[in-house]
Amino acid sequence: MRVEIWSDIACPWCYVGKARFEKALAAFPHRDQVEVVHRSFELDPDRAKGDAQPVITMLTRKYGMSEAQAEAGEDNLGAQAAAEGLPYRTRGRDHGNTFDLHRLLHLAREQGRHDELLAILYRANFAEERSVFTEGDERLVELATEAGLDAGRVRAVLADPDAYAGDVRADEREAARLGATGVPFFVLDRTYGVSGAQSAEVFSRALTQAWGERAPLEPVGAQDARACGPDGCALPPHS
């Protein structure tokens, strides 16, 4: 079974939702038969690279809330994250364009290091004082190499705005086709969709239901056709 997860590094509910889903997945009896694929989604795709602003400021301007309301919302998110064992800085974080982060995540997938980089980027954005938006490309190089990527390759990708851009846009087009208007968005076997940072219990039920309703394999063709197996390959009969 395949689970696809659309998310953005700038999305706090994606950070929390990932932990809740992983808790459910860890307890799922068929965990070893579940493939998890993370896909790209930008919450603020029109924001220019390098145009970062404090999260509290962004919230007040984008949603028309007061500073006190924005701070209360961040405090609530901090509590939700803490309940999942996640560090979360409720003050002093900033918000910016995540396109380059997604491009690097596609590079990391190609190198088999996607999960490592995703966890590192979430930690850097939500738990560390240093910004992933205002310190330039070398900050991203540092984080990517921590995930096991080659620094030279990372710099080359960051220097080429077209590198992996098509992969990011393809993920975003697919999200739109599936009707996703926000993240996190979980798709189980292209049959069930789960929106938002649901509880681990909801994710457990979704996994169980999707697993139970998988279509059985329908055999096609002759059942005695020759094939290779653990004991070797069947030999053709002598004429």
Side-chain angles (χ1 to χ4, degrees):
M1 183 168 72
R2 169 181 279 200
V3 178
E4 297 164 276
I5 307 173
W6 274 264
S7 58
D8 192 6
I9 299 300
C11 166
W13 287 118
C14 296
Y15 181 50
V16 173
K18 177 176 180 289
R20 291 175 177 172
F21 172 77
E22 289 175 348
K23 183 183 295 184
L25 186 59
F28 187 56
H30 309 288
R31 166 65 186 95
D32 292 342
Q33 298 177 66
V34 178
E35 176 191 14
V36 178
V37 179
H38 291 275
R39 299 201 180 279
S40 300
F41 190 105
E42 295 172 273
L43 288 174
D44 203 354
D46 296 326
R47 182 178 291 274
K49 178 179 178 178
D51 177 18
Q53 65 182 153
V55 167
I56 298 298
T57 302
M58 181 273 294
L59 291 172
T60 59
R61 292 178 179 175
K62 186 172 184 177
Y63 300 107
M65 59 178 65
S66 69
E67 185 172 318
Q69 289 172 321
E71 290 178 345
E74 281 294 284
D75 290 339
N76 175 57
L77 276 163
Q80 299 271 356
E84 305 303 328
L86 300 173
Y88 189 97
R89 295 178 66 235
T90 60
R91 300 292 186 274
R93 292 191 304 106
D94 56 11
H95 175 83
N97 181 285
T98 57
F99 188 58
D100 282 349
L101 306 184
H102 287 294
R103 295 198 300 121
L104 291 181
L105 283 166
H106 278 280
L107 167 65
R109 174 176 294 129
E110 193 176 77
Q111 302 294 319
R113 310 299 296 176
H114 183 277
D115 289 352
E116 290 82 358
L117 182 58
L118 182 62
I120 287 168
L121 291 177
Y122 271 135
R123 182 204 71 205
N125 185 47
F126 290 108
E128 297 183 357
E129 290 188 12
R130 296 179 61 193
S131 173
V132 298
F133 301 115
T134 63
E135 293 195 20
D137 287 352
E138 282 307 303
R139 171 63 169 152
L140 301 185
V141 172
E142 174 190 322
L143 294 170
T145 54
E146 182 183 341
L149 299 181
D150 176 74
R153 179 71 177 123
V154 173
R155 290 190 181 96
V157 168
L158 291 172
D160 178 5
D162 294 327
Y164 300 98
D167 299 279
V168 177
R169 298 308 183 208
D171 279 355
E172 294 174 335
R173 286 194 299 271
E174 187 66 4
R177 189 186 73 80
L178 292 171
T181 57
V183 285
F185 184 61
F186 302 77
V187 177
L188 289 72
D189 256 1
R190 289 297 171 108
T191 302
Y192 292 97
V194 180
S195 297
Q198 303 285 347
S199 67
E201 290 75 17
V202 169
F203 286 125
S204 293
R205 290 198 299 271
L207 287 167
T208 299
Q209 186 170 354
W211 182 268
E213 296 187 11
R214 289 176 307 139
L217 185 66
E218 187 70 29
V220 176
Q223 300 306 299
D224 59 352
R226 294 174 182 85
C228 295
D231 298 322
C233 298
L235 298 176
H238 295 290
S239 56

